[in-house]
Amino acid sequence: MGIKTGEEYINKIKSRKPEVWLGGRVVEDIYNEPIFKQPIQEIANLYDIQHDPEYQDEITHICKETGERVNNAFLFPKTSEDLQKRSKLFEVYARMTYGLMGRTLDFLNVVVTSTGIGWALAFGRIGAIVAPTLIGLLLAANYSPQNAFMAFTVPSIMAALALLAVKERHGSYDKLQLEGNIKLKATSNV
């Protein structure tokens, strides 16, 4: 999904009817509620600067899978240049909001990516702790070293094959949508 405009963001806010309580009352119109109106407008401004030629090349890039311009929050850093591009995005957002908005439009992308990486690392660490213990238990239960080795080799090979299969299908939501693997509600993109 390519970059959106602030107007698209505001229209989406207006079209939703979440149950929000504020000061003991239900807020019927999120957009026109005084306490929410300015933060919504500030986030809309962040969407709009993605289209501003002054900032566009600093905070967006062309997605290799779809050819659409997307926010650098979706850029998974693989090089120092990629990391600098993501850093520049956060710097621009902090300057535009004077550092007062902790939940800008890049927030969820970073959380999801970080959570995924964190889980992968955690499973690796758990395996590094559990495997030697299990080998010791298998050897103590009179398994031969060859059988104990096979108990870990077979699942490791299966996991490696699964990763190879997943790697071929890994990609952005846009790529998966183009392949027909994810169905998203049609929206207009600018």
Side-chain angles (χ1 to χ4, degrees):
M1 190 177 330
I3 56 176
K4 294 183 211 175
T5 64
E7 183 180 0
E8 288 174 307
Y9 168 72
I10 288 172
N11 288 339
K12 189 162 274 206
I13 293 286
K14 288 178 177 179
S15 72
R16 294 187 176 163
K17 301 296 179 205
E19 183 177 335
V20 177
W21 288 76
L22 180 66
R25 65 179 175 82
V26 175
V27 176
E28 298 292 336
D29 183 359
I30 298 290
Y31 179 71
N32 287 310
E33 182 66 33
I35 199 164
F36 296 124
K37 190 162 182 138
Q38 190 60 39
I40 289 170
Q41 189 56 53
E42 291 301 323
I43 291 174
N45 291 341
L46 295 179
Y47 277 109
D48 284 337
I49 67 166
Q50 296 177 120
H51 300 274
D52 184 338
E54 182 180 346
Y55 297 103
Q56 192 172 58
D57 289 334
E58 293 181 334
I59 64 173
T60 65
H61 67 281
I62 303 297
C63 178
K64 292 177 183 173
E65 288 97 7
T66 64
E68 291 182 300
R69 186 166 289 279
V70 296
N71 190 293
N72 282 350
F74 290 103
L75 184 63
F76 187 77
K78 295 180 182 140
T79 65
S80 63
E81 290 81 20
D82 290 346
L83 194 56
Q84 288 172 349
K85 288 177 185 177
R86 292 260 320 249
S87 177
K88 185 63 176 180
L89 168 72
F90 303 140
E91 179 186 332
V92 168
Y93 283 176
R95 285 190 179 163
M96 297 293 288
T97 63
Y98 301 97
L100 296 175
M101 293 201 73
R103 297 292 186 261
T104 54
L105 50 132
D106 60 296
F107 152 72
L108 190 56
N109 309 327
V110 175
V111 168
V112 170
T113 303
S114 300
T115 301
I117 291 170
W119 274 97
L121 291 173
F123 278 110
R125 287 184 182 132
I126 290 169
I129 293 167
V130 171
T133 304
L134 289 178
I135 289 290
L137 291 173
L138 290 173
L139 293 175
N142 292 326
Y143 277 79
S144 69
Q146 293 83 6
N147 287 342
F149 176 75
M150 289 304 290
F152 288 94
T153 303
V154 172
S156 296
I157 290 172
M158 291 173 58
L161 292 174
L163 283 175
L164 288 174
V166 170
K167 183 178 180 184
E168 293 299 318
R169 298 184 65 188
H170 173 66
S172 66
Y173 278 106
D174 296 324
K175 181 179 177 187
L176 294 172
Q177 183 182 8
L178 289 173
E179 294 171 352
N181 296 324
I182 291 179
K183 302 290 184 217
L184 299 175
K185 195 184 283 186
T187 60
S188 63
N189 291 322
V190 174

